[in-house]
Amino acid sequence: MGRSRRTLPEELLLLALDPTTGTTAQPQSLDLGLAGAQLVELALAGRIAPDGDRIAVVMPRPTGDPTLDSALELLRRRGSPVRAVHWIGGPRLGLRQTYLSHLERCGMVHAVAGQMCGVLPTTRYQATDTAISREIRARLDSAIRTGVPPDPRTAALAALAHAVGLGKHLYPGNEGRSSRSRLRDLIRHDPMGGLVAHAVMDVQNGVAAQPRRAAAHAAHPAQAGPGRPAAGVPMQPRRGAAMARAAAH
């Protein structure tokens, strides 16, 4: 895979990066979204494909992207298709920092050292080329404004942005309510992006990892959202929800 095109995890992270504070919006759910974005990127590269609510490796050949190839190898080692919700809910320690460091090496962001309360060291990240972030945002805005079905990459990015709760960051306040609603509706334009986005939301909601009924999913593609379980999927008991939240950290 050439580096002339940004990957979905990179684009999702740039969308979440606040240009004023240098921090990422929705940091806990963003980690889940980055794991999901890796799946979509691998699917777009023809390495994996959905198999019901599971993910199957169809071509184990490396993509040339080390972080994606690490995920692909882990999927290959499973030996059989894995449920998206299990994959996304698994340990993903350091994934956000891995991508921030990668963006820094590529020259798309630069790290700014600082302190919290004058004592604790912190690192913030500022975009070095705001035109890149504006171009990513413009694709979402165009899809929302025109209503024209977007390309699969933009549709998947919209689905992931909605799933991790970036709607209020991108389109805040009452004036952004209709845009947030249309952002959610874009989830139906890419099957793989929709599958992954619903899995991200299921993990956040502590939903039991049971096969999603295809009929319910087709009839209500846009009803799930941050804080709301998808139709037809029962909630876990409280202990299960705590375990899912722990996986998100």
Side-chain angles (χ1 to χ4, degrees), residues 31-225:
D31 290 342
L32 302 177
L34 290 173
Q38 286 185 317
L39 293 180
V40 179
E41 189 65 48
L42 287 171
L44 289 170
R47 289 347 189 241
I48 64 174
D51 182 5
D53 67 337
R54 297 174 183 265
I55 302 299
V57 175
V58 295
M59 184 191 297
R61 180 166 57 85
T63 66
D65 181 297
T67 309
L68 289 176
D69 289 341
S70 177
L72 179 61
E73 177 62 14
L74 289 174
L75 286 166
R76 187 193 65 79
R77 289 178 184 175
R78 296 291 183 98
S80 60
V82 59
R83 284 186 180 149
V85 71
H86 283 166
W87 172 262
I88 291 169
R92 292 292 177 271
L93 295 176
L95 188 58
R96 182 167 19 116
Q97 186 57 50
T98 295
Y99 273 106
L100 282 170
S101 298
H102 172 73
L103 290 176
E104 184 180 15
R105 288 193 301 271
C106 292
M108 284 190 269
V109 303
H110 71 277
V112 179
Q115 288 184 329
M116 180 181 295
C117 302
V119 179
L120 299 175
T122 62
T123 303
R124 301 179 184 275
Y125 292 86
Q126 301 289 340
T128 56
D129 186 353
T130 56
I132 295 176
S133 298
R134 288 198 301 269
E135 182 272 328
I136 298 170
R137 174 67 179 272
R139 283 163 41 209
L140 287 187
D141 290 346
S142 177
I144 287 173
R145 183 178 63 255
T146 64
V148 175
D151 63 275
R153 181 173 294 274
T154 301
L157 180 62
L160 289 162
H162 167 69
V164 302
L166 287 183
K168 291 184 177 180
H169 168 70
L170 299 171
Y171 307 104
N174 288 333
E175 64 276 13
R177 183 177 300 173
S178 61
S179 293
R180 293 195 299 270
S181 178
R182 289 192 289 271
L183 179 70
R184 178 199 65 204
D185 292 343
L186 289 175
I187 200 171
R188 70 182 186 272
H189 289 295
D190 180 62
M192 184 64 181
L195 168 66
V196 169
H198 279 296
V200 169
M201 292 184 285
D202 283 351
V203 173
Q204 292 181 80
N205 295 327
V207 174
Q210 296 182 4
R212 184 180 299 276
R213 292 188 298 182
H217 178 62
H220 305 285
Q223 288 189 0

